[in-house]
Coordinates of all heavy atoms in Angstrom, one line a residue:
L1316 N 24.8 107.1 154.5 CA 25.4 107.3 155.9 C 26.8 106.8 155.9 O 27.7 107.5 156.5 CB 24.6 106.5 156.9 CG 23.2 107.0 157.3 CD1 22.5 106.1 158.3 CD2 23.3 108.4 158.0
S1317 N 27.1 105.6 155.4 CA 28.4 105.0 155.4 C 29.4 105.9 154.6 O 30.5 106.2 155.1 CB 28.4 103.6 154.8 OG 27.6 102.8 155.6
M1318 N 29.0 106.4 153.5 CA 29.9 107.2 152.6 C 30.1 108.5 153.2 O 31.2 109.1 153.1 CB 29.3 107.3 151.2 CG 29.6 106.0 150.4 SD 31.4 105.7 150.3 CE 31.4 104.3 149.2
I1319 N 29.1 109.1 153.9 CA 29.3 110.4 154.6 C 30.3 110.3 155.7 O 31.2 111.1 155.9 CB 27.9 110.9 155.1 CG1 27.1 111.4 154.0 CG2 28.2 112.1 156.1 CD1 25.6 111.7 154.4
A1320 N 30.2 109.1 156.4 CA 31.2 108.9 157.5 C 32.6 108.8 156.9 O 33.6 109.3 157.4 CB 30.8 107.7 158.3
I1321 N 32.7 108.0 155.8 CA 34.0 107.9 155.1 C 34.5 109.2 154.7 O 35.7 109.6 154.8 CB 33.9 106.9 153.9 CG1 33.7 105.5 154.4 CG2 35.1 107.0 153.0 CD1 35.0 104.8 155.0
G1322 N 33.6 110.0 154.1 CA 34.0 111.3 153.6 C 34.5 112.2 154.7 O 35.4 113.0 154.6
A1324 N 35.8 111.2 157.6 CA 37.0 110.7 158.3 C 38.3 110.7 157.4 O 39.4 111.0 157.8 CB 36.8 109.3 158.8
I1325 N 38.1 110.3 156.1 CA 39.2 110.2 155.2 C 39.4 111.6 154.6 O 38.8 112.0 153.6 CB 39.0 109.2 154.1 CG1 38.9 107.8 154.7 CG2 40.2 109.2 153.2 CD1 38.7 106.7 153.7
I1359 N 33.3 103.5 168.8 CA 32.2 103.1 167.9 C 31.2 102.3 168.8 O 30.0 102.5 168.6 CB 32.7 102.2 166.8 CG1 33.4 103.1 165.7 CG2 31.6 101.4 166.1 CD1 32.5 104.1 165.1
F1509 N 41.3 109.6 162.6 CA 40.1 108.9 162.8 C 38.9 109.8 163.2 O 37.8 109.4 163.2 CB 40.3 107.8 163.9 CG 40.9 106.5 163.4 CD1 42.2 106.2 163.5 CD2 40.1 105.6 162.7 CE1 42.8 105.1 163.0 CE2 40.6 104.4 162.2 CZ 42.0 104.1 162.4
G1511 N 36.1 112.1 162.9 CA 35.1 112.1 161.8 C 34.2 110.9 161.8 O 33.1 110.9 161.2
L1512 N 34.6 109.9 162.5 CA 33.8 108.7 162.7 C 32.4 109.1 163.3 O 31.4 108.5 162.9 CB 34.5 107.7 163.6 CG 35.5 106.7 163.0 CD1 36.2 105.9 164.1 CD2 34.8 105.8 162.0
E1513 N 32.5 110.0 164.2 CA 31.3 110.4 165.0 C 30.2 111.1 164.1 O 29.1 111.3 164.6 CB 31.7 111.3 166.1 CG 32.3 112.7 165.8 CD 33.7 112.6 165.3 OE1 34.4 111.6 165.6 OE2 34.1 113.5 164.6
I1514 N 30.6 111.5 162.9 CA 29.6 112.1 162.0 C 28.4 111.2 161.8 O 27.3 111.7 161.5 CB 30.2 112.6 160.7 CG1 29.3 113.6 160.0 CG2 30.5 111.4 159.8 CD1 29.9 114.2 158.8
V1515 N 28.6 109.9 161.8 CA 27.4 109.0 161.6 C 26.4 109.2 162.7 O 25.2 109.2 162.4 CB 27.9 107.5 161.7 CG1 26.7 106.6 161.5 CG2 28.9 107.2 160.6
L1529 N 22.3 102.7 161.5 CA 23.4 103.3 162.2 C 24.5 102.3 162.6 O 25.6 102.5 162.4 CB 22.9 104.1 163.3 CG 22.1 105.4 162.9 CD1 21.5 106.1 164.0 CD2 23.1 106.4 162.2
P1530 N 24.1 101.2 163.3 CA 25.1 100.2 163.7 C 25.9 99.7 162.5 O 27.1 99.5 162.6 CB 24.3 99.1 164.4 CG 23.1 99.8 164.9 CD 22.8 100.8 163.8
R1531 N 25.2 99.4 161.4 CA 25.8 98.9 160.2 C 26.8 99.9 159.6 O 27.9 99.6 159.3 CB 24.7 98.5 159.2 CG 25.3 97.8 157.9 CD 24.2 97.7 156.8 NE 23.0 97.3 157.4 CZ 21.8 97.4 156.7 NH1 21.8 98.0 155.5 NH2 20.7 97.0 157.2
A1532 N 26.3 101.2 159.6 CA 27.2 102.2 159.0 C 28.5 102.4 159.9 O 29.6 102.6 159.4 CB 26.4 103.5 158.9
L1533 N 28.3 102.4 161.2 CA 29.5 102.5 162.1 C 30.5 101.4 161.9 O 31.7 101.7 161.8 CB 29.0 102.6 163.6 CG 28.3 103.9 164.0 CD1 27.5 103.7 165.3 CD2 29.3 105.0 164.1
R1534 N 30.0 100.2 161.9 CA 30.9 99.0 161.7 C 31.6 99.1 160.3 O 32.8 98.8 160.2 CB 30.2 97.7 161.9 CG 29.7 97.4 163.3 CD 29.3 96.0 163.5 NE 28.0 95.8 162.7 CZ 26.8 95.9 163.2 NH1 26.6 96.2 164.5 NH2 25.8 95.6 162.5
W1535 N 30.8 99.3 159.3 CA 31.3 99.4 157.9 C 32.4 100.5 157.8 O 33.5 100.3 157.2 CB 30.2 99.7 157.0 CG 30.5 99.6 155.5 CD1 30.3 98.5 154.7 CD2 31.1 100.6 154.7 NE1 30.6 98.8 153.4 CE2 31.1 100.0 153.4 CE3 31.5 101.9 154.9 CZ2 31.6 100.7 152.3 CZ3 32.0 102.6 153.8 CH2 32.1 102.0 152.5
T1536 N 32.1 101.6 158.5 CA 33.1 102.7 158.4 C 34.4 102.4 159.0 O 35.5 102.6 158.5 CB 32.5 104.0 159.0 OG1 31.2 104.3 158.3 CG2 33.4 105.2 158.9
L1537 N 34.3 101.9 160.3 CA 35.6 101.6 161.0 C 36.4 100.6 160.3 O 37.6 100.7 160.3 CB 35.3 101.2 162.5 CG 36.5 101.0 163.3 CD1 37.4 102.2 163.4 CD2 36.1 100.5 164.7
G1538 N 35.7 99.5 159.8 CA 36.5 98.4 159.2 C 37.2 98.9 158.0 O 38.4 98.6 157.8
R1539 N 36.6 99.7 157.2 CA 37.3 100.2 156.0 C 38.3 101.3 156.3 O 39.4 101.3 155.6 CB 36.2 100.8 155.0 CG 35.6 99.6 154.2 CD 34.1 99.9 153.8 NE 33.5 98.7 153.2 CZ 33.1 97.7 153.9 NH1 33.1 97.7 155.2 NH2 32.5 96.6 153.3
L1540 N 38.1 102.1 157.3 CA 39.1 103.1 157.7 C 40.3 102.4 158.2 O 41.4 102.8 157.9 CB 38.5 104.0 158.8 CG 37.5 105.1 158.3 CD1 37.1 105.9 159.5 CD2 38.1 105.9 157.2
G1541 N 40.1 101.3 159.0 CA 41.3 100.6 159.5 C 42.1 100.0 158.4 O 43.4 100.1 158.4
L1542 N 41.5 99.4 157.4 CA 42.2 98.9 156.2 C 42.9 100.0 155.4 O 44.1 99.9 155.1 CB 41.2 98.2 155.3 CG 41.7 97.7 153.9 CD1 42.8 96.6 154.1 CD2 40.6 97.1 153.0
F1543 N 42.2 101.1 155.2 CA 42.8 102.1 154.3 C 43.9 102.8 155.1 O 45.0 103.1 154.5 CB 41.7 103.2 154.0 CG 40.6 102.7 153.1 CD1 39.4 103.3 153.0 CD2 40.8 101.5 152.3 CE1 38.4 102.8 152.2 CE2 39.8 101.0 151.5 CZ 38.6 101.7 151.4

Side-chain angles (χ1 to χ4, degrees):
L1316 286 176
S1317 299
M1318 282 301 184
I1319 287 171
I1321 288 285
I1325 299 181
I1359 286 297
F1509 279 98
L1512 278 172
E1513 64 285 340
I1514 194 174
V1515 178
L1529 291 169
R1531 186 190 315 164
L1533 286 164
R1534 289 191 295 266
W1535 190 95
T1536 302
L1537 181 60
R1539 281 149 185 80
L1540 286 181
L1542 173 63
F1543 294 159

